[in-house]
Each structure stands twice: as structure tokens, then as C-alpha cells.
Amino acid sequence: MKRFPTLTISNHPLIQHKLAYIRDKTTPKKVFKELMDEVSTLLAYEITKNLPVRAVQVETPLQTTTCHVIDVDKVVLVPLLRAGLGLVEGVLKLIPSCAVCHVGLYRDHETLEPQTYYFKPMSSPEERMFIMVDPMLATGGSAIASADLLKKNGAKNIKFMCLVAAPEGVEAFQHAHPDVEIYAAALDDGLNESAYILPGLGDAGDRLFGTQ
Ligand code: URA
């Protein structure tokens, strides 16, 4: 029995190669952002492998043939603000017309509960596939709250893409959302006392936006 049945780690050499440079603390901001874009494109390829397709008739220069297309308006990309923004462009390279539905959460200082400060619900959520994106699955708190929010608004089909996952976060997320598959580039060792992932890559948002 797999320890984390809902987790898929992509061991593709290109993803692992790029992740090595993303982790490297000497990688400059510009390159960090470009590599994150590239890895998110590669992970998007994996995460969309079971998207339903529909048959259409296409006329080639020679004859009519049956082809298969996806319904791009059924795919919704959900970046968790702010670091999730770093994974948006890479997915849009593959599915340029999918909707982008941002989720903004903060932690209430007193209750420590996640509070929503930005969310615009989609129409017909039950017909769509939502791909949540956040580079780091650390404690799982914001990912769990975001999936809760999507489900409360009617989402039935959710996937979660991250670069680096901590076992603590995967455990918590799969307990809260056993129906949501997680796709990651790496499963790391664990969290430190400040909830940073080890070995990790540091603060993804700060490295993306140069706010260290
Ligand atoms: N968020 C980050 O950006 N990095 C971590 O290591 C954990 C959470």
C-alpha cells in the first residue's frame, strides 16, 4: 500500500534537471521564474493526461477525418496567491484559453484560521476541472482551505499541482481531500520549525518576486 495514494511524483529527467536549478540559492530571479514556467508546463502535461476528449470532424487538405479535442473552457487554473502565480504562465502555454480563477487567503492572527480575501466563483463549477497551483505544499493549510472553498462553490473535479511537497502537507491534504490528486516534482524530507520545507527551495514567493 502506497503511503500517499493521492500523490504522483514526476520523475521525468527534464523536470528533475530544472528543479535542481530552481532549488539552487545562486539561481537569479529571472532564471528562477523561467524555470518555474518550464516545470509547470511539464507538470501540466502530466496532470491533464486524463482530460476527456470529444470527437470532431476535421477536413485535412486531402479528406475528412475524425480528430479529438478537449473542451478548453472546462479547465480552470486556480493559482493560490501569491506564489501560485509563478505556475500560471507555464500552464497557459499549453491551454491558453483556460480560465484563471485566483484564490487569496490569509491566516487570521488570533484564530489562525485561513480567511479568504479574494475569490471570484466560476459559473457551472460542476462541469469543470479545477487545477490548483502553488509551488510549495508545506503544512497543507492553504491548499486544504482552497479546495474547501472550491468544493463549497460546487467544484467536483479538482487536482493540485505543486513543485515541492512535504510529507506533513501531503498527509494533511490527502486526509482532508482524498478525492484530489496531487502532482508534484518532488517529495522532500519535512518541515523545519518555521514550516519551511527541507531541503526545499526557500520562500518561493520571495524568490519569484524578489522580496527577500
Ligand atoms: N512556502 C515557501 O515558499 N517555502 C517553503 O519552504 C514553505 C512554504
Side-chain angles (χ1 to χ4, degrees):
M1 169 76 173
K2 263 178 84 182
R3 180 173 175 209
F4 297 130
T6 60
L7 175 67
T8 301
I9 299 293
S10 181
N11 286 319
H12 193 291
L14 282 174
I15 293 182
Q16 295 307 316
H17 174 87
K18 290 171 193 297
L19 181 61
Y21 289 93
I22 290 176
R23 287 188 191 275
D24 187 335
K25 66 177 185 187
T26 67
T27 297
K29 172 174 170 287
K30 175 174 183 286
V31 180
F32 183 87
K33 161 92 179 65
E34 287 164 358
L35 289 166
M36 215 183 241
D37 274 353
E38 291 169 10
V39 172
S40 68
T41 304
L42 294 167
L43 285 172
Y45 179 77
E46 295 255 359
I47 213 166
T48 52
K49 66 176 180 243
N50 293 321
L51 267 183
V53 289
R54 135 178 95 72
V56 291
Q57 294 303 111
V58 170
E59 289 200 23
T60 78
L62 300 173
Q63 65 172 81
T64 301
T65 186
T66 303
C67 295
H68 295 90
V69 295
I70 59 172
D71 283 323
V72 284
D73 55 351
K74 296 258 159 72
V75 183
V76 182
L77 188 57
V78 184
L80 312 196
L81 299 175
R82 112 187 119 138
L85 292 174
L87 300 175
V88 169
E89 290 308 316
V91 179
L92 288 180
K93 271 193 196 114
L94 288 187
I95 321 174
S97 19
C98 76
V100 182
C101 174
H102 303 84
V103 171
L105 300 170
Y106 71 92
R107 187 171 293 277
D108 184 283
H109 284 309
E110 275 166 23
T111 64
L112 299 181
E113 290 300 315
Q115 305 291 327
T116 309
Y117 67 85
Y118 186 81
F119 178 61
K120 179 156 190 297
M122 297 286 303
S123 59
S124 309
E126 64 291 339
E127 291 171 12
R128 306 185 195 256
M129 171 178 143
F130 292 82
I131 306 177
M132 298 188 341
V133 293
D134 192 356
M136 312 304 278
L137 175 54
T139 61
S142 44
I144 292 170
S146 302
D148 285 343
L149 182 65
L150 292 175
K151 286 183 180 176
K152 212 165 76 194
N153 282 275
K156 303 270 182 264
N157 180 2
I158 307 174
K159 296 188 192 301
F160 179 39
M161 177 204 289
C162 60
L163 289 190
V164 177
E168 296 90 329
V170 179
E171 184 98 53
F173 188 83
Q174 81 172 15
H175 181 73
H177 295 290
D179 57 315
V180 178
E181 286 175 56
I182 309 165
Y183 285 75
L187 177 65
D188 274 12
D189 298 341
L191 299 176
N192 71 9
E193 57 290 346
S194 309
Y196 277 93
I197 300 179
L198 297 175
L201 51 82
D203 189 302
D206 280 350
R207 291 191 66 190
L208 264 174
F209 296 109
T211 48
Q212 302 87 321

